[in-house]
Amino acid sequence: MAAVTVGPPPARRRGRRHLPVWHVLWIIVAGAYFLVPIISLVQFSFGGLVNGHSAGFHWYATVFADPNFRSSFWLSVQIAIETVVLSNLLLIPTTFWIHLRLPRLRPVMDFVSVLPFVVPPIVLIVGLIPFLTPFTFLYSRPEVLAFIYVVFALPFLYRSLDAGLRAINLRTLAEASANCGGSTWSTLVRVVLPNLRSAVIVGSFLTVAIAMGEFTISSLLSFNTFPVYLFNIGQTTGNEAAALSVISLLLTWALMVSLYLVGRGGRTTAQVAATR
Amino acid sequence: METAQAPGAVRSDAPATTGAGARAVRWRPGGLRWLGVVPLTAYLAFFLIIPAGELVVDAFRTPNGAFTLGNVSTIFQAQYLSSFGASLELSALAALLGGVLGLLAASAIVHPSAPRLIRSSVTTFSGMAANFAGVPLAFAFTSTLGATGVITVAFRHAGISLAAINPNATTLGLALVYNYFEFPLMLLLLVPALDGLKREWREAAANLGAGGFTYWRTVAFPILLPSLLGAMVLLFGGAFSAYATAYALSGSTGNLVTELIGNLTNGNITVDPQLAYALAFGMMIIITLLMVVYYLLQRRASRWLR
Amino acid sequence: MARIELRGLHKQFGGGVVALDRLDLEVASGEFVSLLGPSGCGKTTALRIVAGFEYPDEGEVLVDGADVLHLPASRRNMGMVFQSYSLFPNMSAKSNVEYPLRIRRQPRAERDRRARDLLGLVGLAKQVDRYPHQLSGGQQQRVALARALAHEPGVLLLDEPLSALDAKVRVQLREEVRRIQLELGITTLYVTHDQEEALSISDRVAVMSEGRVEQVGTPAEVYVRPRTAFVASFVGTVNRLEARVVSSVERTVRCGEVVLTVGADVFDHSDGTSVALYLRPEDVGLRTTLNGDGDNGLPGRVRSVTFLGPVTRVGVDCGLGALVADVSSETALGLSLDQPVSVVVDSARLRTIAAG
């Protein structure tokens, strides 16, 4: 909405107009809505009584001492890394190829990148369980989660790569590279990838966020990932769960800040589907 | 010829690789290009399309494999219909809440008098808030509005009961929690749309005699409506598909379709697979419908907000 | 129809940029005045102040003697045509034109009739139900014009309405704008950077530069008798020569090696001062015969020949310096580079403006 001067300015003729009061009010209310739950969480994480004293960092200490915390966290990290590697291995060459040789497939890819929304995790798992059960080698290991997460990370990674490729005018670069004698492979590795660095990093960070926060599939397949662990703790100790959540939140923030810093040149799409 | 002069004959096929060696560049006819998408296609087929497809098929099969409409007709029983009803009601509430609030916030930050800093920090924060969804979000709201939540306790001292918005128990409470990721999503979707409102429209309307409110009522709002509705459809879909947050808040007592499916599927033992298939199938139908509506709205929006 | 007066309009942007420098202008009732000047000269700012989208730091805007600055844009009873994008995309052409009438709560039948009449006036009787995205740029601007006139405003404002259109459409449309303006007799203020446009359709032209009006006059006045160096060079093409006054009584100047008598009206420079001589290309004659027949001809040599359609622009070097002459293309056919020619300067057409 472009606000336009269509009425006489307030007292002075000079001076900029200020944001209308109710807009400011709004921002304050919205700010409160977003901050209060976090503050409550933090409060809970320091709350309660332990042996008659106030808890202080007790819950945090408990969390860090819990071996399950470390193992579940480590598991989530591993899976996240695997997801990132897998999805990039799959998507970078494919997106590159499509942009280069099969531009007519771009609308198809746009459609494909919407498919994971039509089949959300809770629905997909219903179909995956009977389908994957025969593949016991894969199915019994947590690595299967990485393979599944790739599907849900796809829209975000693809969109990031697509935007990145569009921004560098791939066609011209590829032809220039060919003109200088480069093969397609060397074009990909030496010309495109360095220019895609930002898009890959942004997309990968989103993938990590999805993978580390995913609960639905990992819980229904009974893997002890970090969100599952978090949930289990929450069933018993409210304060400890609060402390864990604060830790989780801090990690998300760190991730987002890094994302912001890295992706500052380009655009950041920052939505997550799978954690809901 | 196989030298770098080849680009002179530029067509839609860029040069293909010849493997080892940096020199040779050769033109290849169309067909083999399609090999490039095989890996992705195979992957998606295996991990998305076939499982989803099988699920749809199995929704119409008895345990013995015979064709039946029984599974699907089961979900029209009262208890399951009420489940769908609950999910749809929640999604509508969340979409409405996020929609209205997002619109208000978006118009605030798009306002030219708004400091530049607000816009970028709100956008970044939106990304962050959207990622907070799931189990941690549930705990945060339990700490806030739950039975022993900070705010609940504070209001109780003042004599006001906040039971109506208890996220563990009420739909409204749950919608409030969903709002945490719906609102930022709405914001991120709407800001570009609001930017698309051309300054000339506002000025022309004023010149022709329209005050601020009339302009919004007759020009801006109708133009924005497709984008607004489209965004709310996406919000609806997001709320409808959500599982983790709801489950973390209400455990196994929840009545949402997603929770129902979760209960049936939990722990690798699918208690009533036919029902699970049917329910999942029902969800897919609803979401597909939403996507179609969204697509149509998007087309209209892009025509006007070009 | 309304009379407009701008008095002492002054506006400065942050950073010291002076957009308007005590601007004065009067537009008589029913008159078509163009604000002509390069980008950044303040013409659009002035127009937007009249319309009510911007406010001056000082000065007054009077319409029929009454100050309008205290009125919001929506109450000034003016019609404005923007450069582009101003049609409401969610409404058909007819609905767009009806919009101001809808706001004034005119009954539907009347609105409908008036909208159709106006669209007919601008030549779009058959496109009443089309939407903006279905119309060409020229058609959109016609609808915009019809819409601006629908509520019978006292003043019509146009902000470079044709700049975004193709050249041919521009010429066609500007004549239509003028035709309609004459038919309705509406007071009009027109902003443009295209001098051909301004000269061809205005009653008077106000040439602006850096927030100031350099000269106001009929198109002919501004073209034939420019009063400042800026106007002389901005409007049309002109030859500019440096000269020094020899005798103010005899109105002679020395330019290069040549002494010329300046014929045009005012000559109030003192002896010995530097002046700039201005001469239009069409006032520079070329003769291919070299015999001195006392015709004031200077020896010269052809430097360049540029075909422009109806005329050919010939660059010549002569005693005065490098000049540009417009000759009929037929005559120019015989000219070649380096050819010696005789340059004839029409002293009645020479204008001097003090240099510096």
Side-chain angles (χ1 to χ4, degrees), chain C residues 16 110 132 210 222 238 296 301 334:
Chain C
E110 267 183 58
E210 297 186 352
V222 160
V238 79
N296 214 11
R301 204 164 271 282

Side-chain angles (χ1 to χ4, degrees), chain A residues 45-154:
Chain A
S45 72
F46 289 114
L49 295 175
V50 180
N51 298 336
H53 304 291
S54 60
F57 280 93
H58 172 83
W59 303 115
Y60 289 93
T62 318
V63 162
F64 282 108
D66 186 350
N68 279 329
F69 166 68
R70 270 170 274 145
S71 63
S72 66
F73 188 75
W74 179 231
L75 180 63
S76 281
V77 168
Q78 279 179 300
I79 294 182
I81 295 178
E82 287 162 16
T83 311
V84 168
V85 169
L86 256 180
S87 40
N88 276 304
L89 266 180
L90 192 60
L91 274 181
I92 295 181
T94 310
T95 316
F96 166 74
W97 192 255
I98 289 180
H99 266 247
L100 195 61
R101 305 286 201 88
L102 295 163
R104 264 180 295 147
L105 276 189
R106 293 251 295 269
V108 176
M109 272 306 285
D110 285 338
F111 171 72
V112 166
S113 72
V114 171
L115 276 183
F117 293 114
V118 180
V119 190
I122 187 67
V123 168
L124 185 61
I125 196 67
V126 174
L128 271 180
I129 290 180
F131 180 69
L132 285 183
T133 313
F135 303 91
T136 42
F137 169 77
L138 180 67
Y139 191 52
S140 56
R141 311 175 61 144
E143 277 69 29
V144 70
L145 289 177
F147 282 89
I148 301 175
Y149 292 172
V150 166
V151 172
F152 294 110
L154 185 104

Side-chain angles (χ1 to χ4, degrees), chain C residues 197-255:
Chain C
E197 206 169 276
L199 294 178
S200 61
I201 58 177
S202 322
D203 289 320
R204 278 191 306 150
V205 177
V207 183
M208 286 182 64
S209 164
E210 297 186 352
R212 254 171 288 115
V213 174
E214 299 255 331
Q215 184 175 355
V216 184
T218 64
E221 272 171 18
V222 160
Y223 183 79
V224 174
R225 283 192 278 277
R227 249 184 270 133
T228 71
F230 176 81
V231 177
S233 51
F234 184 80
V235 183
T237 315
V238 79
N239 288 297
R240 185 185 181 281
L241 304 164
E242 314 242 319
R244 197 167 278 278
V245 177
V246 172
S247 160
S248 59
V249 167
E250 287 165 28
R251 309 170 130 228
T252 46
V253 297
R254 172 179 295 278
C255 177

Side-chain angles (χ1 to χ4, degrees), chain A:
Chain A
M1 164 175 84
V4 150
T5 311
V6 289
R12 311 253 135 270
R13 275 193 179 161
R14 198 174 278 198
R16 21 180 81 236
R17 292 183 58 213
H18 296 294
L19 204 56
V21 176
W22 67 287
H23 276 327
V24 176
L25 211 68
W26 237 137
I27 295 184
I28 294 178
V29 168
Y33 169 79
F34 281 103
L35 289 177
V36 166
I38 297 183
I39 297 174
S40 313
L41 198 65
V42 174
Q43 189 159 343
F44 250 74
S45 72
F46 289 114
L49 295 175
V50 180
N51 298 336
H53 304 291
S54 60
F57 280 93
H58 172 83
W59 303 115
Y60 289 93
T62 318
V63 162
F64 282 108
D66 186 350
N68 279 329
F69 166 68
R70 270 170 274 145
S71 63
S72 66
F73 188 75
W74 179 231
L75 180 63
S76 281
V77 168
Q78 279 179 300
I79 294 182
I81 295 178
E82 287 162 16
T83 311
V84 168
V85 169
L86 256 180
S87 40
N88 276 304
L89 266 180
L90 192 60
L91 274 181
I92 295 181
T94 310
T95 316
F96 166 74
W97 192 255
I98 289 180
H99 266 247
L100 195 61
R101 305 286 201 88
L102 295 163
R104 264 180 295 147
L105 276 189
R106 293 251 295 269
V108 176
M109 272 306 285
D110 285 338
F111 171 72
V112 166
S113 72
V114 171
L115 276 183
F117 293 114
V118 180
V119 190
I122 187 67
V123 168
L124 185 61
I125 196 67
V126 174
L128 271 180
I129 290 180
F131 180 69
L132 285 183
T133 313
F135 303 91
T136 42
F137 169 77
L138 180 67
Y139 191 52
S140 56
R141 311 175 61 144
E143 277 69 29
V144 70
L145 289 177
F147 282 89
I148 301 175
Y149 292 172
V150 166
V151 172
F152 294 110
L154 185 104
F156 305 100
L157 188 58
Y158 171 72
R159 231 172 290 161
S160 185
L161 291 176
D162 182 55
L165 280 175
R166 255 187 284 175
I168 66 170
N169 192 359
L170 179 65
R171 169 120 318 189
T172 312
L173 275 187
E175 288 174 356
S177 166
N179 195 288
C180 298
S183 66
T184 307
W185 177 253
S186 77
T187 304
L188 172 61
V189 170
R190 301 226 186 97
V191 174
V192 175
L193 276 186
N195 281 297
L196 269 188
R197 205 178 59 105
S198 162
V200 169
I201 292 181
V202 168
S204 301
F205 268 116
L206 287 171
T207 307
V208 168
I210 295 174
M212 295 264 331
E214 205 282 330
F215 174 79
T216 308
I217 297 192
S218 48
S219 77
L220 292 179
L221 288 183
S222 305
F223 289 112
N224 200 29
T225 60
F226 184 63
V228 173
Y229 168 70
L230 179 57
F231 174 79
N232 288 329
I233 294 292
Q235 299 308 99
T236 54
T237 333
N239 301 92
E240 204 178 325
L244 259 178
S245 300
V246 171
I247 295 174
S248 167
L249 186 62
L250 287 173
L251 288 170
T252 314
W253 277 356
L255 207 61
M256 284 292 124
V257 167
S258 327
L259 197 96
Y260 175 70
L261 290 175
V262 164
R264 222 172 357 172
R267 224 165 310 163
T268 51
T269 52
Q271 289 317 298
V272 172
T275 55
R276 287 178 227 134

Side-chain angles (χ1 to χ4, degrees), chain B residues 198-211 214-215 217-219 222-223 303-304 306, chain C residues 48 53 73-74 78-80 82 84-91 99-100 102-104 133 147 151:
Chain B
K198 300 225 163 19
R199 178 177 84 154
E200 284 84 352
W201 296 336
R202 177 79 178 92
E203 292 182 346
N207 173 259
L208 297 167
T214 314
Y215 162 70
R217 187 175 55 88
T218 54
V219 178
I223 293 179
R303 208 151 35 129
W304 287 352
R306 217 177 329 169
Chain C
R48 287 171 64 82
F53 301 131
S74 46
M78 301 180 181
M80 181 147 169
F82 297 78
S84 54
Y85 300 128
S86 66
L87 292 184
F88 306 131
N90 56 320
M91 300 182 201
Y99 187 76
R102 231 173 87 194
I103 295 192
R104 289 161 176 80
H133 69 270
R147 184 180 69 178
H151 53 295

Side-chain angles (χ1 to χ4, degrees), chain B residues 181-246:
Chain B
F181 52 82
E182 301 279 57
F183 174 93
L185 178 60
M186 188 71 176
L187 205 65
L188 288 173
L189 288 172
L190 268 192
V191 167
L194 285 174
D195 276 341
L197 285 179
K198 300 225 163 19
R199 178 177 84 154
E200 284 84 352
W201 296 336
R202 177 79 178 92
E203 292 182 346
N207 173 259
L208 297 167
F213 184 67
T214 314
Y215 162 70
W216 268 94
R217 187 175 55 88
T218 54
V219 178
F221 193 73
I223 293 179
L224 274 181
L225 201 58
S227 310
L228 239 134
L229 289 178
M232 283 177 43
V233 165
L234 282 188
L235 260 59
F236 190 100
F240 188 69
S241 316
Y243 170 76
T245 315

